[in-house]
Amino acid sequence: MEKVLTRNIGLAQKPTDLKAYEANGGYQGLRKAMAGMSPKDCQDVISDSNLRGRGGAGFPTGMKWSFVPSDDKCTPGHKYLVCNADEMEPGTFKDRLLMECDPHQLIEGMILAAYTIGADISYIFIRGEYLVAIQRLRDAVDECYAAGLLGENILGSGYKLDMYVHPSAGRYICGEETALINALEGKRANPRAKPPFPQVSGLWGRPTIVNNVETLCNIPHIIDRGADWFNGLGVGEDAGTKLFGVSGRVKNPGCWELPMGTPIREIIEEHAGGMQDGYQLKGFLPGGGSTDFLTADHLDLAMDYNVIGAAGSRMGTGTMIILDDRTCPVGMVLNLIRFFAHESCGFCTPCRDGLPWSRQVLQDIEEGRGEPEDLETLAYQVKYIGAIGNTHCALAPGAMEPLQSALKYFYDDFKQHISSGRCPYH
Amino acid sequence: MSKKEMIQSDIGSVLSAQEIAEIDAELAHIPYKSGAAIDALKIVQAKRGWVSDECLQGIAKYLEMSAEELEGVATFYNLIYRRPVGEKVILFCDSVSCWIGGCDDIKSKISNVLGVDYGETTADSSYTLLPVPCLGACDRAPVMMVGDDLVTHLDDKKITELFGSAANGSAK
Ligand SMILES: Cc1cc2nc3c(=O)[nH]c(=O)nc-3n(C[C@H](O)[C@H](O)[C@H](O)COP(=O)(O)O)c2cc1C
Ligand code: SF4
Ligand code: FES
C-alpha cells in the first residue's frame, strides 16, 4: 500500500525539517493552491474527497468547513482555524506520532484549511505533556515564517496567516471542541451549549473550525492529488488511509497507516502480531476508551465508520485496546469509569455525580462487595447517563459505552464476581 | 501580609520583568486581558515550579481580573500547581492500556521506593508523584514522565535504576 500520512516517517529516520519535507514533495499542495486555486476550489476538492474527521466523531470535513459563513455573511473580523492536538483519549497514540515525526505535514494542512475557510489566525492546541512535539512544531513554524510560508503574503499570493503553538494546561475535557475554545480563551474548560456551533461563533465569538491533527494531515495530499485519488485509497466504504493502533497484550503493539476499511483481523493478527503466547483475545475497544466493546465474533469486520457503527460500536480514534482472557473485564471497565469520573468537568449532574456512582458500584463488584441488584443499578446508570441529551457534552455518554457493552458481552463475569464475592481473575 | 495588602502590593515586586514581558507577548494576540490567564499561570510556573498565592494575586491584578476568578481557572487544570512540587514531577499514567500492562504494581513499587503516594512530595523535595491520563504512548505501556522525559516499558528494574530501592537505603 502507498504510504501517505506516514511517508516521511520511518523509525531510523530523523523528523523532517523544512528542507527534507520539501525534498520529498512537501508544500506541493500549498504551492498548487496558492498558484491557482480559490478557497472555493479547495472546499470542493475536500468535500468531494469524502474525508471524515479523525478526532473520534467522523464528521465529514468538507461539510463542517462549509458552515463557516463567507465574509459577506458575517461581521468583519478574524476567523480562526484550531488544530485539536489534545490527544488524551485512553488508548490513543496516533497524533503524537504525526506531530513528532513530520510537523510540516500538519502545518501545511493547517495553512490549506485556513485558506479554504478564510481564517487569518490559527492555533495548534496541544497537550502540555507532548514536549517533543511542542518543540518540533515551534521549530517548524519558525522555519515557515522565515521561508514565507506563514505570515504576510504567503508564497506571494497575498494570503496572510499567523500560527501559534499553544500548549494546554491539562484536563481531558479540553479535547471537546467547545471546551477547548474556552481553554484557549483562558477560562475553565467547560463545554459550551450548541448551537451556536463554533463554525459560526467560536473563539472570541468568531467563526472557528476545530479539526483533529490526523484530519488536517490529510489535506495537503488531497489538494495535491485530488479527490478521486483519495477516494480510491480506501478498500471499503470510506475514503483515504487511517492510522490504526493496537495496545494491550499483543506481540507487537503499535500504530500503522492502512487503508480505510482494513479488516480488524488483519490489523490485530498481522500488524500487531496476534496475541502474546498464553493469552486469548476476549474483546476489544475498537477506537479508544469511549467506544463499545466488540469481541472475537467481530474480527472480520472492516474498519469503516458505518460498519463499526452497525456492529454497535464506533470507529472513534481507530486505536484499539485489547482485553485478553487473563485481564478482568470488570477491572478494565472500572479503570475507564474511574478515569471519566475524574475527568468530568463538573458542569452537569448526571456526569459529575453519576460517574462517581458508577465507579463506586463497579469497585464494590470488583472488590467482592457486589450485590445482585448492582447489575440493575449499572443498567439504570447506562440508560440515564448514557442517553445523548441528558448531559451537556459527550463525555458522559462516551464513558457509558464500554460499560454498557461489557454488561452485554461479559455479563457472566459480573455475575461471577457477585456470586463468589471476589474477583475470579486475581 | 493580609489579603488586601497583597492585592495592593506592586505587581512588579511579585512578577519578574521577564515574566511580564512574556505575558505581554501573549497579550499581543489576545483580545481581552483575562484571555491570557492560563498562559500567565504557565509562564509564572515555568521558572518557579508552582504558583504561590502571592503570584496568583500579582497575575490577577496584571490581567485585571479577580484573584478568585483566576483561582477558579488555576485549580481547574491539572498541570497548574498551586502547591510546591519537587524538582521533578512524576506524571504516572494510570489509564487503561498501562493498567492492562500492570501499572498498579509499578505504582506500588514507586510509592514504596520513594515513600510517597499520589499528590505527595519526597522529603528531600526531589520528586512529586501525580497520576496523569493516557500519555499517548500506549504501545510502549506502562509509561510515565519524570520531569521532561518520557520513560516507557516500565518494570521493577527500571524503577530501581531510576530511583534506587528502598531496601538498599538509597530511597529518597
Ligand atoms: C470528552 C471529549 C474529548 C475529546 N478529545 C478529543 C481529542 O483529544 N482530540 C480530538 O481531535 N478530538 C477530541 N474530541 C472530539 C472533538 O470534540 C471534535 O469533534 C474534533 O476535534 C473534531 O475534529 P475532526 O472533525 O477533525 O475529527 C473529544 C470529544 C469529547 C466529547
Ligand atoms: S457531560 Fe461531564 S464533562 Fe460534559 S459538560 Fe457535563 S459534567 Fe462536563
Ligand atoms: S494508557 Fe498509558 S500511555 Fe496510553
Side-chain angles (χ1 to χ4, degrees), chain A residues 89-93 247, chain B residues 93-99 132-139 141-143:
Chain A
E89 180 72 18
T92 301
F93 51 100
S247 66
Chain B
C93 176
D94 61 356
S95 289
V96 64
S97 304
C98 289
W99 177 80
V132 76
C134 175
L135 282 169
C138 328
D139 51 339
V143 305

Side-chain angles (χ1 to χ4, degrees), chain B residues 86-122:
Chain B
E87 259 166 71
K88 287 186 177 174
V89 174
I90 302 171
L91 296 175
F92 189 84
C93 176
D94 61 356
S95 289
V96 64
S97 304
C98 289
W99 177 80
I100 292 171
C103 74
D104 283 354
D105 289 344
I106 307 284
K107 150 72 175 45
S108 304
K109 168 99 180 167
I110 296 175
S111 285
N112 191 15
V113 170
L114 294 181
V116 289
D117 205 339
Y118 284 140
E120 295 174 355
T121 300
T122 54

Side-chain angles (χ1 to χ4, degrees), chain A residues 91-93 96 123 127 129-130 164 166-171 183 185 187-189 204 247 249 327 331-332 335 339, chain B residues 29 31-32 35 37-39 42 72 76-79 94-97 99-100 132-136 138-139 145 148:
Chain A
T92 301
F93 51 100
R96 180 202 271 272
Y123 288 94
R127 68 178 296 185
E129 297 92 340
Y130 278 7
Y164 302 96
H166 183 101
S168 170
R171 291 307 289 278
E185 290 187 5
K187 299 177 184 148
R188 290 166 69 94
W204 314 113
S247 66
R249 294 202 188 279
T327 296
M332 178 163 166
N335 175 278
F339 164 82
Chain B
H29 61 95
Y32 309 100
I38 300 168
D39 304 295
K42 294 189 74 172
F76 188 91
Y77 293 97
N78 60 298
L79 298 179
D94 61 356
S95 289
V96 64
S97 304
W99 177 80
I100 292 171
V132 76
C134 175
L135 282 169
C138 328
D139 51 339
M145 291 188 74
D148 290 351

Side-chain angles (χ1 to χ4, degrees), chain A residues 10 15 99 117 141 150 167 197-198 213 243 248 260 293 308 351 374 416:
Chain A
M99 293 187 287
I117 64 166
V141 166
L150 278 173
F197 288 91
V213 172
L243 295 193
M260 269 296 188
F293 277 100
I308 303 299
C351 177
D374 286 348
Q416 209 190 331

Side-chain angles (χ1 to χ4, degrees), chain A residues 246 252-254 256-258 262 265-274:
Chain A
V246 180
N252 177 31
W256 311 272
E257 181 183 8
L258 299 168
T262 299
R265 186 184 296 283
E266 183 186 325
I267 300 170
I268 296 177
E269 293 181 2
E270 283 178 35
H271 298 281

